[in-house]
Amino acid sequence: MSTERRTFTAAIEVERPELEARAAGDERIPIAISSEFPVERTDWTTGEHYLEVLDHTPAAIDLTRAARGLPLLLSHEQRDQYGVVENVRLGNDGRLRGEARFSRGVKAQEIRQDLLDGIRTSMSVGYTVGDQYVLETSDKGLPIRRMMKWQPLEVSTVPVPADPTVGVNRAAPSRVTTLPSARITHMENEQPEVEQTREQAFFSIANAAGLSINETYDAMAKYRTADAFGRACLERMADATQLSPPSPSSPSNYGARTSTGFFSDFTEAVLAPESAAAKAKTRSLSKELGISARGSLVPLVSRAMTMTGVGSGKEFSPVLQRDVVDLMRPRMVSTEFGARIESYAGGSISRPTITSDAAYAWLAENGSGIAASDLGTSAITMIPRAISTRTTHTAQSLRTSQPEIASQILEAHASRLAVGVDAAVLAGLGSANQPTGVLYNAGSNVVAMGTNGAVVTYGKLCELEQAIDLASAPMEGLGFVTTPQIRSRMRQTQDFPSAAAGRPLWNSDNTVLGHRAMTTTSMPANLTKGTSSGTCHSAILGDFTQIVIGYWAGLDVIVDPYTDAAKGLTHITTTMYVDVGVLQPTAFAVIRDLTLA
């Protein structure tokens, strides 16, 4: 089974014809456990309604547990077992069948007699499902999730089935539970409607706050009411909106944070690009974002931002949504140092900036006063620039590994797009369709090592810091980034070589001049200065909160099964529309001619 396990129920019914034809002395009761009858469910992490169908093929049903018999319970209560369901098998008619054998206990025999007398006409099977399913369409207008991996765990008696037809009946949904592999929660008898309402409320709040399934269930155990949970989430979300650099210990695993809704949309774009839902979503997003999509557009934000004014000091408040952040978080040095991520709609965006302060003067009593001075403002124009990545897959892998293949594709594409955007923030050329990054921004402070470049020294690092300080930029929270080779050189170079207690330029706590330091291969290591041709490295010190990474909030997914159809290959291309804005270039100091020797 896959990593995510969910417990539902499926009602069953006594097979009367087989009961009458059983062998003499055989007290077991034949039952039909399940079939492919669709039952309406709700995904509480996304609010999506869908029809669940359990695929009844030998490859789909895991009968490992059933080989020794399934426990026979009463209303899924695990404290007492009243028998066992034996000989669980897939019948020729596509139904799962078995024989219920009851214990000799008084209560067990009462239940057995109720079954024989037709008083207890329905039972229920508890089972887990994997995360492999195929999306299908139905005449009810709801998507069908055909579960391709599932495993029966136990059988219970229940009073109300969802489907009254013989041998099919899954129980009426009183509680749908989505759990990780470590937990299995069954239906409770006490106040099922109250419990369902509480669970729905908690999942609704958790989905809005971007919490995981584990966090949601931990919250249900911690908070008595959904109101208390909601207040805690609001406080957490309020703290999260502060523009502070993310914690160095923040998890960088993309898959763990991206919402189910976004993954579902991406899966649809990859595996069903011609579906009506995918096309409708693309048309709507294209109009909203002002982007002419080449494939299927996947939404990355809940709502877009708009500009209220340009050059007059009016700015808009960022509306951040977790999918945009999480898609581009892997391995991004710039966001680790505090670069801001914002999402836009429409065409180009102008960000107002202040270029000069108002003048001040000391006034004499009854003097001439102070002359008027204007606050100098300008604007940084950001336009949607396309960055793409492409992978090739066999048709067989797309058919047989869904939706896992969609998750792998997304993770691979997200990582490469993240690296590309980070490289643009640090060292975008401003040409060849790239944004202009910090290293080549005309306003960045440049510290030169020498005519032909030179090795790093303590003095030159101090010049970086001084240049930023002279520009009156904040000195708190600066970040230093360079290449891995320069870090190695700095670890072997002392700040004061002649001193007995000299320290390395790059300290063991990954700081340089007391500022947090990181490396990335996205920093150029092939620059030229004088006779040092193609061997110079680069470094940046600065306040990365002065960087805005703007996204036009749609991911363009192109699925091409035609170019190499004869080889059975499908090409998948994802494109994001991004630009980089350096709000205060003087908050950065750069070196472009570091050498290793």
Side-chain angles (χ1 to χ4, degrees):
M1 299 299 290
S2 187
T3 54
E4 183 177 313
R5 300 174 66 179
R6 296 180 294 180
T7 300
F8 297 107
T9 58
I12 60 181
E13 187 170 285
V14 175
E15 291 286 23
R16 296 293 167 180
E18 287 78 2
L19 180 62
E20 299 299 329
R22 64 185 174 176
D26 188 353
E27 297 183 349
R28 296 181 301 177
I29 300 177
I31 54 177
I33 297 175
S34 61
S35 76
E36 294 190 354
F37 185 86
V39 174
E40 185 172 345
R41 300 296 190 196
T42 301
D43 187 337
W44 298 119
T45 61
T46 63
E48 179 187 13
H49 296 281
Y50 64 93
L51 296 176
E52 180 198 65
V53 171
L54 300 177
D55 189 73
H56 278 60
T57 59
I61 309 175
D62 183 355
L63 295 178
T64 304
R65 289 175 177 264
R68 293 181 294 177
L70 297 175
L72 186 58
L73 311 176
L74 179 62
S75 297
H76 303 286
E77 178 54 62
Q78 300 182 58
R79 290 177 296 183
D80 296 304
Q81 181 175 345
Y82 297 98
V84 63
V85 179
E86 300 173 327
N87 192 24
V88 179
R89 74 248 179 227
L90 184 62
N92 295 330
D93 58 354
R95 295 178 179 178
L96 197 64
R97 299 179 180 277
E99 280 84 39
R101 179 166 60 89
F102 289 84
S103 73
R104 296 298 179 182
V106 175
K107 182 65 175 178
Q109 289 301 310
E110 290 177 355
I111 296 173
R112 177 179 178 276
Q113 193 60 48
D114 285 344
L115 285 173
L116 293 174
D117 294 342
I119 295 174
R120 292 179 179 268
T121 60
S122 299
M123 302 174 95
S124 173
V125 60
Y127 59 93
T128 60
V129 293
D131 55 7
Q132 297 183 35
Y133 63 85
V134 176
L135 287 175
E136 300 173 349
T137 57
S138 74
D139 55 3
K140 293 184 179 181
L142 293 176
I144 294 176
R145 295 187 186 181
R146 175 175 290 274
M147 313 310 296
M148 303 306 295
K149 291 291 182 182
W150 64 282
Q151 181 182 57
L153 300 179
E154 49 85 6
V155 178
S156 299
T157 64
V158 293
V160 183
D163 169 41
T165 62
V166 174
V168 178
N169 323 318
R170 261 172 289 176
S174 60
R175 179 176 177 185
V176 180
T177 306
T178 303
L179 294 175
S181 57
R183 301 185 197 171
I184 303 176
T185 300
H186 294 278
M187 286 176 29
E188 303 289 346
N189 290 327
E190 297 78 17
Q191 298 177 323
E193 293 184 358
V194 173
E195 180 60 32
Q196 179 190 19
T197 301
R198 179 175 184 268
E199 183 167 308
Q200 291 181 24
F202 269 78
F203 267 106
S204 178
I205 295 170
N207 187 44
L211 301 182
S212 69
I213 294 171
N214 273 337
E215 290 172 322
T216 305
Y217 275 95
D218 289 342
M220 291 180 68
K222 180 179 180 181
Y223 300 98
R224 295 185 59 188
T225 66
D227 288 342
F229 177 43
R231 286 193 297 271
C233 285
L234 286 175
E235 293 174 0
R236 169 175 168 166
M237 294 170 72
D239 293 340
T241 59
Q242 302 302 314
L243 295 177
S244 58
S247 168
S249 61
S250 297
S252 60
N253 180 0
Y254 148 78
R257 293 191 309 274
T258 302
S259 76
T260 305
F262 169 69
F263 175 69
S264 177
D265 289 334
F266 182 83
T267 302
E268 181 180 61
V270 170
L271 302 179
E274 298 301 318
S275 67
K279 290 183 177 179
K281 212 167 291 178
T282 298
R283 287 194 299 269
S284 176
L285 276 173
S286 294
K287 182 177 180 180
E288 177 184 350
L289 302 178
I291 296 172
S292 179
R294 297 179 296 166
S296 299
L297 274 181
V298 177
L300 285 173
V301 292
S302 54
R303 64 186 181 92
M305 292 187 278
T306 57
M307 277 295 290
T308 57
V310 177
S312 58
K314 294 181 180 179
E315 290 189 333
F316 55 94
S317 298
V319 179
L320 300 182
Q321 202 269 355
R322 63 194 301 270
D323 290 328
V324 133
V325 177
D326 294 338
L327 183 67
M328 302 311 298
R329 182 62 58 80
R331 298 181 60 191
M332 291 188 70
V333 171
S334 54
T335 56
E336 285 293 316
F337 280 143
R340 290 178 284 178
I341 298 178
E342 299 179 352
S343 57
Y344 308 133
S348 62
I349 297 294
S350 292
R351 289 296 304 256
T353 60
I354 297 175
T355 57
S356 62
D357 291 332
Y360 68 89
W362 294 97
L363 301 179
E365 188 174 358
N366 296 323
S368 58
I370 185 172
S373 60
D374 293 328
L375 188 67
T377 63
S378 183
I380 296 174
T381 300
M382 300 175 67
I383 62 174
R385 303 175 188 270
I387 177 172
S388 295
T389 188
R390 185 187 189 196
T391 55
T392 301
H393 310 269
T394 64
Q396 182 178 3
S397 68
L398 294 177
R399 283 198 307 267
T400 61
S401 302
Q402 51 184 315
E404 284 88 349
I405 188 65
S407 176
Q408 294 170 7
I409 294 170
L410 180 56
E411 186 167 358
H413 285 225
S415 297
R416 297 316 302 164
L417 290 173
V419 170
V421 172
D422 201 39
V425 172
L426 300 172
L429 298 175
S431 59
N433 304 314
Q434 300 179 23
T436 301
V438 172
L439 197 65
Y440 299 109
N441 192 291
S444 296
N445 301 288
V446 179
V447 173
M449 296 300 299
T451 303
N452 301 308
V455 297
V456 62
T457 64
Y458 186 68
K460 288 297 183 180
L461 293 177
C462 291
E463 285 187 37
L464 286 175
E465 197 175 50
Q466 174 183 274
I468 298 172
D469 205 3
L470 288 174
S472 300
M475 299 299 292
E476 298 79 14
L478 299 183
F480 180 84
V481 58
T482 187
T483 65
Q485 298 94 319
I486 294 298
R487 175 175 62 178
S488 178
R489 188 72 173 81
M490 291 174 67
R491 283 191 182 278
Q492 302 172 60
T493 304
Q494 291 186 339
D495 49 6
F496 295 103
S498 60
R503 297 170 298 178
L505 299 181
W506 189 296
N507 292 326
S508 58
D509 60 351
N510 287 319
T511 59
V512 173
L513 300 181
H515 307 296
R516 185 182 171 201
M518 296 180 69
T519 65
T520 174
T521 55
S522 293
M523 288 291 290
N526 59 348
L527 304 179
T528 296
K529 183 70 175 291
T531 58
S532 300
S533 178
T535 59
C536 291
H537 294 245
S538 55
I540 297 173
L541 177 68
D543 179 7
F544 283 80
T545 64
Q546 297 301 318
I547 293 174
V548 172
I549 304 172
Y551 294 88
W552 279 257
L555 184 68
D556 195 350
V557 182
I558 301 174
V559 179
D560 174 19
Y562 309 109
T563 301
D564 288 317
K567 301 177 182 178
L569 300 179
T570 296
H571 304 285
I572 296 178
T573 304
T574 56
T575 302
M576 291 197 72
Y577 300 89
V578 189
D579 203 2
V580 175
V582 183
L583 304 183
Q584 296 293 343
T586 54
F588 296 90
V590 305
I591 299 177
R592 300 195 286 254
D593 55 349
L594 288 166
T595 61
L596 297 177

